[in-house]
Amino acid sequence: MQSKTERVRVRFTSGDIECVAWHYPGSNGACVVMAAGGAVTKEPGTDLFARRFHDDGFTVLAFDFRRLGESGGQPRQIIRMREQLTDFDAAIAYASTLPEVSPDRIAIWGFSLSGGHVLRVAARHPRLGAAIAQTPLVDGVRGAARAGRHQRPLAMLRVLATGILDAVGGLAGRPPLLIPLAGEPGTVAMLTTPDSQDGNRALNPDNSYPQWQQLIAARSGIRIGLYRPGRYAPGVTSPLLVLVADQDQTAPPDIAIEAARSAPNAEVAHVTGGHYAPFLDAHEQALDSELRFLRTHLLAPGRTRSTFHTPTPESEPIR
């Protein structure tokens, strides 16, 4: 099997914003478009899976949403669902132009918040070859109610008040009020579930990605808490894999399974552990399930491989 050792930094336009992505040129004609979870940038959020997909021959396009990482957009660290869905659409369109990719053999992948996006994006792109939602947030309202069991009442009020103050300040053009992605119960943080404490260990071991700001605009927490992408699952006609962690306290698995059952062509894979288990002890199991799914639905017998595209400058070794 052909395996390359370089990835290429590429740029594409989403609306009037420039998004930045890593392009791992593959050898089998199929492509996986990848996006990380809420306020997580492409390197900590996709590297662990992207390089293994690429080793298996797949092209990978792993991108930063606008306002995050290397992509453009001001102010920073803000999540707006409509913008991120537009960026996902633009990434799919860009992937279809890559010379080694067959446009009918594109899959999308996301985890946590972007796993929820996968359901909405797949519902409006019925020609996708496959879609993978890993530990997805499919119902922010129900998920927030569960997560609230792991936060103290006064701290919950402080988080909500900070979000409202930030939203009002945004209307006046003030810079975002940033809060940590995760924190201990009683602190002002986006998540205080026990498994959310594993986020840094899972995504940023040994501080491998020091430039990743583990912060989010407080106003974005309100949007995430009201986000319900699971309602779009019945419209997903492409093959869909929903991978759940059975002890997930951040994105409850039963809610994700419920959404998967409403999709006409979905399957569910289970791993043991919390929200970040696919990046930790359950990584090989999760990877095996996802690679099997991608091979099944993107590498149908009899398809001709596309011409391999040689990387251009601005590349770096895949770590």
PDB file of all heavy atoms in Angstrom, residues 36-57:
ATOM      1  N   ALA A  36     -12.834  19.109  13.541  1.00  0.00           N
ATOM      2  CA  ALA A  36     -12.717  18.805  14.970  1.00  0.00           C
ATOM      3  C   ALA A  36     -13.925  19.331  15.740  1.00  0.00           C
ATOM      4  O   ALA A  36     -14.811  19.984  15.199  1.00  0.00           O
ATOM      5  CB  ALA A  36     -11.424  19.400  15.518  1.00  0.00           C
ATOM      6  N   GLY A  37     -13.953  19.016  17.044  1.00  0.00           N
ATOM      7  CA  GLY A  37     -15.068  19.405  17.890  1.00  0.00           C
ATOM      8  C   GLY A  37     -15.050  20.883  18.247  1.00  0.00           C
ATOM      9  O   GLY A  37     -14.226  21.660  17.764  1.00  0.00           O
ATOM     10  N   GLY A  38     -15.950  21.282  19.138  1.00  0.00           N
ATOM     11  CA  GLY A  38     -16.137  22.685  19.453  1.00  0.00           C
ATOM     12  C   GLY A  38     -14.876  23.385  19.926  1.00  0.00           C
ATOM     13  O   GLY A  38     -14.300  23.005  20.944  1.00  0.00           O
ATOM     14  N   ALA A  39     -14.432  24.399  19.203  1.00  0.00           N
ATOM     15  CA  ALA A  39     -13.249  25.211  19.506  1.00  0.00           C
ATOM     16  C   ALA A  39     -11.958  24.406  19.530  1.00  0.00           C
ATOM     17  O   ALA A  39     -10.948  24.873  20.042  1.00  0.00           O
ATOM     18  CB  ALA A  39     -13.424  25.970  20.820  1.00  0.00           C
ATOM     19  N   VAL A  40     -11.978  23.197  18.967  1.00  0.00           N
ATOM     20  CA  VAL A  40     -10.765  22.395  18.831  1.00  0.00           C
ATOM     21  C   VAL A  40     -10.231  22.589  17.416  1.00  0.00           C
ATOM     22  O   VAL A  40     -10.984  22.509  16.452  1.00  0.00           O
ATOM     23  CB  VAL A  40     -11.043  20.902  19.099  1.00  0.00           C
ATOM     24  CG1 VAL A  40      -9.748  20.091  18.993  1.00  0.00           C
ATOM     25  CG2 VAL A  40     -11.683  20.706  20.465  1.00  0.00           C
ATOM     26  N   THR A  41      -8.953  22.836  17.291  1.00  0.00           N
ATOM     27  CA  THR A  41      -8.362  23.070  15.978  1.00  0.00           C
ATOM     28  C   THR A  41      -8.006  21.743  15.302  1.00  0.00           C
ATOM     29  O   THR A  41      -8.045  20.681  15.912  1.00  0.00           O
ATOM     30  CB  THR A  41      -7.130  23.967  16.097  1.00  0.00           C
ATOM     31  OG1 THR A  41      -6.229  23.417  17.060  1.00  0.00           O
ATOM     32  CG2 THR A  41      -7.535  25.370  16.532  1.00  0.00           C
ATOM     33  N   LYS A  42      -7.651  21.851  14.031  1.00  0.00           N
ATOM     34  CA  LYS A  42      -7.517  20.655  13.208  1.00  0.00           C
ATOM     35  C   LYS A  42      -6.425  19.705  13.678  1.00  0.00           C
ATOM     36  O   LYS A  42      -6.584  18.481  13.563  1.00  0.00           O
ATOM     37  CB  LYS A  42      -7.282  21.042  11.741  1.00  0.00           C
ATOM     38  CG  LYS A  42      -6.042  21.883  11.478  1.00  0.00           C
ATOM     39  CD  LYS A  42      -6.004  22.353  10.029  1.00  0.00           C
ATOM     40  CE  LYS A  42      -4.765  23.197   9.724  1.00  0.00           C
ATOM     41  NZ  LYS A  42      -4.654  24.395  10.592  1.00  0.00           N
ATOM     42  N   GLU A  43      -5.326  20.228  14.210  1.00  0.00           N
ATOM     43  CA  GLU A  43      -4.221  19.337  14.576  1.00  0.00           C
ATOM     44  C   GLU A  43      -4.566  18.453  15.781  1.00  0.00           C
ATOM     45  O   GLU A  43      -4.539  17.226  15.671  1.00  0.00           O
ATOM     46  CB  GLU A  43      -2.936  20.138  14.823  1.00  0.00           C
ATOM     47  CG  GLU A  43      -2.351  20.759  13.569  1.00  0.00           C
ATOM     48  CD  GLU A  43      -2.984  22.091  13.189  1.00  0.00           C
ATOM     49  OE1 GLU A  43      -3.797  22.617  14.000  1.00  0.00           O
ATOM     50  OE2 GLU A  43      -2.688  22.609  12.104  1.00  0.00           O
ATOM     51  N   PRO A  44      -4.916  19.029  16.937  1.00  0.00           N
ATOM     52  CA  PRO A  44      -5.282  18.155  18.052  1.00  0.00           C
ATOM     53  C   PRO A  44      -6.545  17.354  17.793  1.00  0.00           C
ATOM     54  O   PRO A  44      -6.705  16.244  18.311  1.00  0.00           O
ATOM     55  CB  PRO A  44      -5.467  19.122  19.227  1.00  0.00           C
ATOM     56  CG  PRO A  44      -5.698  20.454  18.611  1.00  0.00           C
ATOM     57  CD  PRO A  44      -4.923  20.452  17.336  1.00  0.00           C
ATOM     58  N   GLY A  45      -7.432  17.888  16.971  1.00  0.00           N
ATOM     59  CA  GLY A  45      -8.723  17.243  16.771  1.00  0.00           C
ATOM     60  C   GLY A  45      -8.770  16.179  15.700  1.00  0.00           C
ATOM     61  O   GLY A  45      -9.693  15.355  15.704  1.00  0.00           O
ATOM     62  N   THR A  46      -7.781  16.172  14.776  1.00  0.00           N
ATOM     63  CA  THR A  46      -7.865  15.201  13.677  1.00  0.00           C
ATOM     64  C   THR A  46      -6.583  14.418  13.421  1.00  0.00           C
ATOM     65  O   THR A  46      -6.633  13.356  12.804  1.00  0.00           O
ATOM     66  CB  THR A  46      -8.265  15.885  12.348  1.00  0.00           C
ATOM     67  OG1 THR A  46      -7.199  16.728  11.892  1.00  0.00           O
ATOM     68  CG2 THR A  46      -9.543  16.697  12.502  1.00  0.00           C
ATOM     69  N   ASP A  47      -5.424  14.912  13.859  1.00  0.00           N
ATOM     70  CA  ASP A  47      -4.161  14.274  13.485  1.00  0.00           C
ATOM     71  C   ASP A  47      -4.140  12.776  13.763  1.00  0.00           C
ATOM     72  O   ASP A  47      -3.674  11.984  12.935  1.00  0.00           O
ATOM     73  CB  ASP A  47      -2.993  14.911  14.248  1.00  0.00           C
ATOM     74  CG  ASP A  47      -2.478  16.200  13.616  1.00  0.00           C
ATOM     75  OD1 ASP A  47      -3.035  16.632  12.593  1.00  0.00           O
ATOM     76  OD2 ASP A  47      -1.511  16.775  14.162  1.00  0.00           O
ATOM     77  N   LEU A  48      -4.624  12.373  14.934  1.00  0.00           N
ATOM     78  CA  LEU A  48      -4.515  10.981  15.357  1.00  0.00           C
ATOM     79  C   LEU A  48      -5.243  10.048  14.401  1.00  0.00           C
ATOM     80  O   LEU A  48      -4.768   8.940  14.119  1.00  0.00           O
ATOM     81  CB  LEU A  48      -5.067  10.832  16.776  1.00  0.00           C
ATOM     82  CG  LEU A  48      -4.720   9.547  17.519  1.00  0.00           C
ATOM     83  CD1 LEU A  48      -3.211   9.408  17.702  1.00  0.00           C
ATOM     84  CD2 LEU A  48      -5.433   9.510  18.870  1.00  0.00           C
ATOM     85  N   PHE A  49      -6.392  10.487  13.893  1.00  0.00           N
ATOM     86  CA  PHE A  49      -7.156   9.673  12.950  1.00  0.00           C
ATOM     87  C   PHE A  49      -6.718   9.931  11.513  1.00  0.00           C
ATOM     88  O   PHE A  49      -6.656   9.008  10.701  1.00  0.00           O
ATOM     89  CB  PHE A  49      -8.654   9.951  13.102  1.00  0.00           C
ATOM     90  CG  PHE A  49      -9.262   9.291  14.305  1.00  0.00           C
ATOM     91  CD1 PHE A  49      -9.214   9.903  15.555  1.00  0.00           C
ATOM     92  CD2 PHE A  49      -9.868   8.053  14.204  1.00  0.00           C
ATOM     93  CE1 PHE A  49      -9.762   9.292  16.667  1.00  0.00           C
ATOM     94  CE2 PHE A  49     -10.425   7.425  15.306  1.00  0.00           C
ATOM     95  CZ  PHE A  49     -10.373   8.048  16.546  1.00  0.00           C
ATOM     96  N   ALA A  50      -6.423  11.187  11.181  1.00  0.00           N
ATOM     97  CA  ALA A  50      -6.114  11.540   9.794  1.00  0.00           C
ATOM     98  C   ALA A  50      -4.913  10.762   9.263  1.00  0.00           C
ATOM     99  O   ALA A  50      -4.927  10.260   8.142  1.00  0.00           O
ATOM    100  CB  ALA A  50      -5.869  13.040   9.676  1.00  0.00           C
ATOM    101  N   ARG A  51      -3.861  10.677  10.063  1.00  0.00           N
ATOM    102  CA  ARG A  51      -2.677  10.000   9.555  1.00  0.00           C
ATOM    103  C   ARG A  51      -2.916   8.513   9.340  1.00  0.00           C
ATOM    104  O   ARG A  51      -2.333   7.911   8.436  1.00  0.00           O
ATOM    105  CB  ARG A  51      -1.482  10.241  10.472  1.00  0.00           C
ATOM    106  CG  ARG A  51      -1.571   9.669  11.856  1.00  0.00           C
ATOM    107  CD  ARG A  51      -0.214   9.831  12.565  1.00  0.00           C
ATOM    108  NE  ARG A  51      -0.261   9.337  13.926  1.00  0.00           N
ATOM    109  CZ  ARG A  51      -0.260  10.095  15.000  1.00  0.00           C
ATOM    110  NH1 ARG A  51      -0.242  11.419  14.869  1.00  0.00           N
ATOM    111  NH2 ARG A  51      -0.294   9.566  16.210  1.00  0.00           N
ATOM    112  N   ARG A  52      -3.795   7.915  10.144  1.00  0.00           N
ATOM    113  CA  ARG A  52      -4.088   6.497   9.972  1.00  0.00           C
ATOM    114  C   ARG A  52      -4.997   6.268   8.775  1.00  0.00           C
ATOM    115  O   ARG A  52      -4.858   5.258   8.051  1.00  0.00           O
ATOM    116  CB  ARG A  52      -4.710   5.941  11.252  1.00  0.00           C
ATOM    117  CG  ARG A  52      -3.785   5.975  12.455  1.00  0.00           C
ATOM    118  CD  ARG A  52      -2.625   4.997  12.342  1.00  0.00           C
ATOM    119  NE  ARG A  52      -3.094   3.623  12.397  1.00  0.00           N
ATOM    120  CZ  ARG A  52      -3.320   2.946  13.521  1.00  0.00           C
ATOM    121  NH1 ARG A  52      -3.110   3.536  14.702  1.00  0.00           N
ATOM    122  NH2 ARG A  52      -3.732   1.704  13.486  1.00  0.00           N
ATOM    123  N   PHE A  53      -5.957   7.160   8.542  1.00  0.00           N
ATOM    124  CA  PHE A  53      -6.757   7.062   7.317  1.00  0.00           C
ATOM    125  C   PHE A  53      -5.846   7.173   6.097  1.00  0.00           C
ATOM    126  O   PHE A  53      -5.981   6.425   5.123  1.00  0.00           O
ATOM    127  CB  PHE A  53      -7.810   8.170   7.278  1.00  0.00           C
ATOM    128  CG  PHE A  53      -8.892   8.068   8.319  1.00  0.00           C
ATOM    129  CD1 PHE A  53      -9.657   9.186   8.641  1.00  0.00           C
ATOM    130  CD2 PHE A  53      -9.169   6.880   8.978  1.00  0.00           C
ATOM    131  CE1 PHE A  53     -10.667   9.114   9.590  1.00  0.00           C
ATOM    132  CE2 PHE A  53     -10.178   6.797   9.938  1.00  0.00           C
ATOM    133  CZ  PHE A  53     -10.925   7.923  10.244  1.00  0.00           C
ATOM    134  N   HIS A  54      -4.923   8.140   6.177  1.00  0.00           N
ATOM    135  CA  HIS A  54      -4.002   8.366   5.065  1.00  0.00           C
ATOM    136  C   HIS A  54      -3.098   7.150   4.852  1.00  0.00           C
ATOM    137  O   HIS A  54      -2.834   6.740   3.714  1.00  0.00           O
ATOM    138  CB  HIS A  54      -3.160   9.606   5.337  1.00  0.00           C
ATOM    139  CG  HIS A  54      -2.106   9.863   4.332  1.00  0.00           C
ATOM    140  ND1 HIS A  54      -0.788   9.515   4.542  1.00  0.00           N
ATOM    141  CD2 HIS A  54      -2.160  10.411   3.101  1.00  0.00           C
ATOM    142  CE1 HIS A  54      -0.078   9.854   3.482  1.00  0.00           C
ATOM    143  NE2 HIS A  54      -0.876  10.401   2.599  1.00  0.00           N
ATOM    144  N   ASP A  55      -2.618   6.537   5.923  1.00  0.00           N
ATOM    145  CA  ASP A  55      -1.789   5.342   5.793  1.00  0.00           C
ATOM    146  C   ASP A  55      -2.533   4.221   5.081  1.00  0.00           C
ATOM    147  O   ASP A  55      -1.913   3.357   4.462  1.00  0.00           O
ATOM    148  CB  ASP A  55      -1.330   4.853   7.172  1.00  0.00           C
ATOM    149  CG  ASP A  55      -0.242   5.720   7.783  1.00  0.00           C
ATOM    150  OD1 ASP A  55       0.358   6.537   7.048  1.00  0.00           O
ATOM    151  OD2 ASP A  55      -0.011   5.601   9.000  1.00  0.00           O
ATOM    152  N   ASP A  56      -3.851   4.242   5.174  1.00  0.00           N
ATOM    153  CA  ASP A  56      -4.671   3.225   4.511  1.00  0.00           C
ATOM    154  C   ASP A  56      -4.976   3.576   3.061  1.00  0.00           C
ATOM    155  O   ASP A  56      -5.718   2.858   2.402  1.00  0.00           O
ATOM    156  CB  ASP A  56      -5.981   3.042   5.282  1.00  0.00           C
ATOM    157  CG  ASP A  56      -6.566   1.646   5.119  1.00  0.00           C
ATOM    158  OD1 ASP A  56      -5.905   0.675   5.529  1.00  0.00           O
ATOM    159  OD2 ASP A  56      -7.680   1.528   4.564  1.00  0.00           O
ATOM    160  N   GLY A  57      -4.443   4.707   2.584  1.00  0.00           N
ATOM    161  CA  GLY A  57      -4.610   5.088   1.186  1.00  0.00           C
ATOM    162  C   GLY A  57      -5.582   6.213   0.924  1.00  0.00           C
ATOM    163  O   GLY A  57      -5.687   6.690  -0.209  1.00  0.00           O
TER     164      GLY A  57
END
